[in-house]
Amino acid sequence: EAGVTQFPSHSVIEKGQTVTLRCDPISGHDNLYWYRRVMGKEIKFLLHFVKESKQDESGMPNNRFLAERTGGTYSTLKVQPAELEDSGVYFCASSRGGGEKLFFGSGTQLSVL
Amino acid sequence: QKEVEQNSGPLSVPEGAIASLNCTYSDRGSQSFFWYRQYSGKSPELIMSIYSNGDKEDGRFTAQLNKASQYVSLLIRDSQPSDSATYLCAVNGYPGANNLFFGTGTRLTVIP
């Protein structure tokens, strides 16, 4: 069974540009989460999808971040325009049920210069 | 804002020793507690979950929870060099969901 996959693994962009991160959850997992770790800090929750619906987006930092999960399969996280403080590792995770075991992807390292 | 505190380490133990990792949390209402292991450049991997006071053992790993003291720990017996990784403590903020609050992690090195 394939795990949670994320694309790209690394992205280097300039301040003001747009970046789109993609996450493919494990097949059959209705619950999809985005997390972020900025340097020196803890991993922080961004938002939670149940199928295509946003269940909780309380962790989204501001309106420059837009997450979608069309069709309830893969998800994208777009940052537009990117700022320096957006640099960090963006993790996607999925679980079959709401409180069931959470599987993480290996993350996208985003560097905004 | 819920907080989860861990010693960042690094923690070094000799091979075969017991490694003890500690974590405290701020929200007394927290119900689910997790330990994740993360190798450098890899994804966090769940190794233990605990929900009630006391000890929970799984192979060489034992998780301990004390809700009165808001304290959760992870013991690794017979530590192996392959256990060298960052260990993340996480607390569930909401029942039935995985909106987790993480600590910054403790880096463990097992010396052969």
Side-chain angles (χ1 to χ4, degrees):
Chain A
E1 178 183 77
V4 177
T5 53
Q6 293 186 243
F7 305 95
S9 58
H10 294 81
S11 180
V12 181
I13 61 172
E14 293 187 353
K15 176 182 173 180
Q17 290 185 323
T18 297
V19 63
T20 300
L21 314 180
R22 172 170 168 147
C23 169
D24 286 73
I26 294 172
S27 178
H29 282 196
D30 287 341
N31 292 266
L32 186 149
Y33 301 79
W34 284 98
Y35 284 84
R36 175 175 76 168
R37 184 170 196 165
V38 297
M39 186 176 294
K41 300 285 189 178
E42 70 275 18
I43 297 173
K44 281 194 172 181
F45 166 80
L46 296 179
L47 89 159
H48 170 206
F49 283 100
V50 177
K51 297 185 181 179
E52 68 276 7
S53 299
K54 292 177 184 175
Q55 188 76 10
D56 183 349
E57 53 184 327
S58 61
M60 295 288 264
N62 51 61
N63 59 11
R64 296 186 293 103
F65 290 76
L66 176 64
E68 295 181 321
R69 192 182 183 194
T70 306
T73 54
Y74 71 91
S75 175
T76 58
L77 179 64
K78 182 163 69 174
V79 185
Q80 179 182 30
E83 298 289 345
L84 299 179
E85 63 266 25
D86 301 333
S87 296
V89 181
Y90 289 76
F91 289 103
C92 176
S94 72
S95 65
R96 188 175 300 278
E100 297 186 34
K101 182 177 178 179
L102 194 60
F103 294 83
F104 278 82
S106 54
T108 294
Q109 173 75 59
L110 174 64
S111 298
V112 183
L113 306 179
Chain B
Q1 176 70 17
K2 303 177 195 294
E3 292 185 351
V4 179
E5 300 286 341
Q6 293 182 256
N7 288 328
S8 60
L11 173 66
S12 295
V13 300
E15 183 175 356
I18 295 175
S20 178
L21 305 163
N22 304 313
C23 172
T24 59
Y25 58 94
S26 64
D27 182 11
R28 189 170 290 277
S30 300
Q31 299 181 20
S32 307
F33 307 86
F34 307 92
W35 283 99
Y36 283 81
R37 178 178 62 198
Q38 187 178 21
Y39 293 112
S40 181
K42 303 294 185 182
S43 57
E45 175 192 12
L46 180 66
I47 55 171
M48 289 289 286
S49 58
I50 188 166
Y51 306 99
S52 54
N53 280 329
D55 294 359
K56 179 181 178 182
E57 186 175 318
D58 184 1
R60 295 185 295 110
F61 298 97
T62 298
Q64 300 174 316
L65 174 62
N66 183 327
K67 289 186 177 180
S69 300
Q70 296 174 236
Y71 175 92
V72 58
S73 66
L74 179 70
L75 301 178
I76 306 175
R77 290 182 301 281
D78 188 22
S79 295
Q80 301 297 309
S82 58
D83 295 327
S84 298
T86 296
Y87 290 80
L88 303 165
C89 175
V91 175
N92 195 334
Y94 304 95
N98 281 312
N99 304 19
L100 303 181
F101 294 87
F102 282 87
T104 53
T106 298
R107 188 155 55 93
L108 172 67
T109 300
V110 180
I111 303 168

